[in-house]
Amino acid sequence: DGTLIPTRDHRLAARSKNYRYSTNLQIAIDASTRLVIAVGDPQPGNRNDTVVYRTSGIDQKLAGRPVMADGAYRGNPEVIIPYRKPADGSDLPAWKEDLNTQHRTIRARVEHTLARMKNWKILRDYRRAAHTLTDAASGIAHLHNIALTW
């Protein structure tokens, strides 16, 4: 999933939907263990998740693995997203609703992990140079993984 990191360095950050200068950071999480397995390169915060998924390099890091994401990744055929309601407004079949329920359960784990990582002050307001954000996010991901496995 992608998350917005408020960044003071305007060379990389851009005004995003929350009207702050932010960067969009893609983070891949193993849903069964809640461990962070990959962090993408930060991109300007005004880009949507579909574009950032392809340009941040995280798609190459996750090549060959099944990837589940939310509905914002519609343009990426290799990503599993939930079923959408038909254009005519009719309801989804029961089997698609069941798959969407399972999808939401897994996605909740991912969102909880992202929230836990953003408890670190450095990811709530990144004040260092923007090109160091990848290293800082990777370090916090390693600390998160150590805290979970210890």
Side-chain angles (χ1 to χ4, degrees), residues 83-149:
Y83 289 102
R84 297 173 51 90
K85 278 191 165 186
D88 62 0
S90 61
D91 291 333
L92 287 173
W95 67 274
K96 286 186 179 180
E97 285 291 343
D98 292 339
L99 287 175
N100 280 354
T101 302
Q102 292 173 4
H103 192 96
R104 279 192 302 270
T105 303
I106 293 169
R107 292 279 313 138
R109 295 179 196 153
V110 173
E111 295 297 338
H112 291 170
T113 301
L114 284 175
R116 187 172 179 186
M117 285 183 65
K118 288 178 94 171
N119 279 340
W120 291 79
K121 171 117 176 65
I122 195 167
L123 286 185
R124 281 182 286 174
D125 186 20
Y126 196 73
R127 296 175 181 221
R128 301 185 67 201
H131 66 83
T132 63
L133 179 58
T134 304
D135 298 330
S138 296
I140 291 172
H142 286 300
L143 290 172
H144 168 79
N145 290 348
I146 289 170
L148 282 181
T149 57

Side-chain angles (χ1 to χ4, degrees), residues 2 4 6 12 16-17 19 22 25-26 28 40 44 48 52-53 63 65-66 71 74 80 82 103 109 113 124 148:
L4 290 175
L12 177 63
S16 57
K17 63 183 175 183
Y19 301 106
S22 302
L25 187 66
Q26 293 286 312
N48 62 17
V52 174
Y53 178 78
R65 295 182 180 189
R74 281 181 67 190
I80 302 166
H103 192 96
R109 295 179 196 153
T113 301
R124 281 182 286 174
L148 282 181

